[in-house]
Amino acid sequence: MSMEQLRSLIVRHARRGTSTAADGVLVSMATGPGDPAAVSLSGTVFALIAQGRKTLSVGDRVHEYGPGEFLVTSLDLPVRGHYTEASVQHPALGFGLRLRSSVIAQLLLDSAADPIWRRSSDTAPALAVSSADEDLIDAAVRMLRLLDRPRDIQVLAPLIEREILWRLMTGEQGATVRQLGLADSRLHDVGRAVRWIRDNPADPVSVAELARMAGMSESAFHRTFRTVTGMSPIRFQKQLRLHEARVILAGRAGDVTGVAHAVGYQSASQFSREYRRQYGVPPSAHVGDAGAALTDT
């Protein structure tokens, strides 16, 4: 019953767009599969599918999820994803909640005595997929019901947000979510390097310098970075560069060489080769393409 209610609520509120009146709460409705080659940034999010199916890849890892399954990400990763089941008659429907590290940290503090927080030496991946239990789906339904009662949102939405986060933190993918609130976790160490790469896409990547930022040896950093993100630092930067290039191309009138240089390529021909390899078309195909800037997890 909860899943039927969730689908009905998403359909009603997704007509107004992805964002909602509740801070950090998202809804989505897709009537087609989208571009399977498009790379977008994931954000840190809990994304639950109520209808339809989706394939998402990060690095060499491919994840498929459908009704009653969810994805969580604890880093802003370059991902490639598209719906495999979505049509006008049977649209794909999704509920999302942005994961806020401050709220997760507070929950960790409030429950510090719980034995589940005993640290493991393993580093959790920054993206994971699992099945949602009835309690988690019910919490998502109650969150969306608040959209029909605006006066309740300010008081009750934070309480339901904490409930959703608690169920995630104590569930199968709890380690992925919990590390967002742990200031000393490997995720935060790698996150410093990820933010530098994201903020400086045109600058050459020095693994030694990134390892220094993360406070690790080069070998430990490379191993941990690949575990968390699913790819090497060099490949991570390449995907970010190509994503940034596609977004820039959407607003330019054909200056492909200028875009190549803006994202750090010295050779426009190399940029064109790698762009075609990534997206299946030359850069010129995406000039003025407004859909290039869309992000959808």
Side-chain angles (χ1 to χ4, degrees):
M1 186 63 178
S2 291
M3 187 59 75
E4 292 178 11
Q5 293 172 334
L6 183 62
R7 286 193 286 265
S8 176
L9 286 162
I10 291 171
V11 168
R12 181 156 75 248
H13 293 289
R15 295 192 180 100
R16 304 170 189 168
T18 303
S19 299
T20 70
D23 187 32
V25 176
L26 310 168
V27 288
S28 63
M29 180 167 62
T31 56
D35 181 358
V39 173
S40 60
L41 297 180
S42 66
T44 55
V45 70
F46 158 63
L48 170 64
I49 288 187
Q51 185 169 283
R53 298 196 66 82
K54 190 166 192 179
T55 294
L56 187 144
S57 62
V58 53
D60 297 324
R61 301 172 187 163
V62 178
H63 305 270
E64 296 183 0
Y65 58 120
E69 296 178 312
F70 68 87
L71 171 143
V72 286
T73 57
S74 53
L75 268 181
D76 199 9
L77 299 172
V79 297
R80 182 185 290 113
H82 71 288
Y83 288 105
T84 56
E85 293 180 11
S87 66
V88 174
Q89 295 77 19
H90 196 77
L93 304 171
F95 167 87
L97 178 69
R98 299 196 188 282
L99 301 181
R100 298 193 291 174
S101 58
S102 58
V103 182
I104 295 169
Q106 188 59 56
L107 280 169
L108 288 169
L109 288 173
D110 292 345
S111 57
D114 195 309
I116 198 172
W117 306 150
R118 291 172 184 164
R119 296 288 301 279
S120 164
S121 60
D122 295 333
T123 300
L127 186 152
V129 170
S130 280
S131 295
D133 61 23
E134 191 65 23
D135 290 333
L136 187 56
I137 295 170
D138 179 65
V141 168
R142 284 185 281 111
M143 180 68 89
L144 290 185
R145 281 178 180 163
L146 293 180
L147 301 180
D148 297 322
R149 302 190 297 272
R151 65 178 297 183
D152 294 342
I153 291 175
Q154 184 173 357
V155 173
L156 297 182
L159 302 180
I160 301 176
E161 177 188 12
R162 283 172 59 91
E163 178 185 348
I164 291 173
L165 292 175
W166 176 255
R167 297 196 183 284
L168 293 173
M169 290 164 59
T170 56
E172 182 180 12
Q173 304 303 340
T176 293
V177 178
R178 292 193 301 270
Q179 62 185 348
L180 256 176
L182 295 168
D184 62 343
S185 71
R186 286 298 197 191
L187 176 80
H188 280 264
D189 297 336
V190 170
R192 287 193 292 273
V194 166
R195 284 190 294 274
W196 186 91
I197 295 173
R198 191 180 60 216
D199 293 342
N200 303 275
D203 292 349
V205 166
S206 164
V207 175
E209 181 62 20
L210 294 175
R212 186 195 64 76
M213 291 180 196
M216 303 182 195
S217 68
E218 286 188 45
S219 60
F221 170 76
H222 200 280
R223 182 173 60 253
T224 304
F225 192 98
R226 183 177 287 276
T227 296
V228 169
T229 69
M231 65 191 89
S232 70
I234 302 299
R235 185 174 177 186
F236 186 93
Q237 186 191 52
K238 182 184 293 186
Q239 290 211 0
L240 281 180
R241 281 178 169 178
L242 294 174
H243 167 74
E244 180 69 14
R246 187 174 180 185
V247 173
I248 295 172
L249 285 167
R252 290 204 178 182
D255 183 14
V256 172
T257 298
V259 172
H261 292 159
V263 299
Y265 280 87
Q266 300 303 310
S267 166
S269 60
Q270 180 188 0
F271 167 69
S272 294
R273 285 195 305 273
E274 293 187 356
Y275 195 96
R276 182 186 288 273
R277 190 178 301 125
Q278 176 91 333
Y279 294 113
V281 295
S284 57
H286 286 149
V287 171
D289 176 9
L294 295 179
T295 299
D296 177 28
T297 305

